[in-house]
Amino acid sequence: MHEYKRLVNGVQRLVNGAKRLINGVQSLINGVQRLVNGAKRLINGVQSLINEVQRLVNGVQSLINGVQSLINEVQRLVNGVQSLINGVQRCLTLSR
């Protein structure tokens, strides 16, 4: 009877150990799942950051293009004023 009780206790300890192992594996699976979810969120965040930077680059490029157009318009205005000055000088020269 004593041997039987020791066997039952041993089996009970084995069952308890197996339960703890199952719980540990479940905790590990849950931890890995949280890690995967965190990695997915990180990837999404980085993708959003890349998209925002791309929009910023596009905006800066548009600004550069706008400034270049403004410079071109100012150059045309300067050329027009220069032509006007030249025309006035010719008129003054001819009127003398």
Side-chain angles (χ1 to χ4, degrees), residues 39-87:
K40 286 179 182 177
R41 285 193 299 275
L42 178 61
I43 289 168
N44 290 340
V46 169
Q47 188 61 53
S48 295
L49 179 61
I50 289 170
N51 291 342
E52 288 301 316
V53 169
Q54 187 60 54
R55 280 193 279 277
L56 178 62
V57 168
N58 291 343
V60 170
Q61 188 61 53
S62 295
L63 179 61
I64 290 169
N65 291 342
V67 170
Q68 187 61 53
S69 295
L70 180 60
I71 290 169
N72 291 341
E73 288 300 317
V74 169
Q75 187 61 54
R76 281 192 280 276
L77 178 62
V78 168
N79 291 342
V81 170
Q82 187 62 55
S83 295
L84 180 61
I85 291 170
N86 291 343

Side-chain angles (χ1 to χ4, degrees), residues 4-44:
Y4 175 75
K5 196 169 189 178
R6 284 180 51 201
L7 179 62
V8 168
N9 288 340
V11 170
Q12 188 61 52
R13 284 194 301 273
L14 181 62
V15 168
N16 290 340
K19 286 179 182 179
R20 285 193 299 274
L21 179 61
I22 290 170
N23 289 338
V25 170
Q26 189 61 52
S27 294
L28 179 62
I29 290 170
N30 291 341
V32 169
Q33 188 61 53
R34 285 192 298 274
L35 180 63
V36 168
N37 290 340
K40 286 179 182 177
R41 285 193 299 275
L42 178 61
I43 289 168
N44 290 340

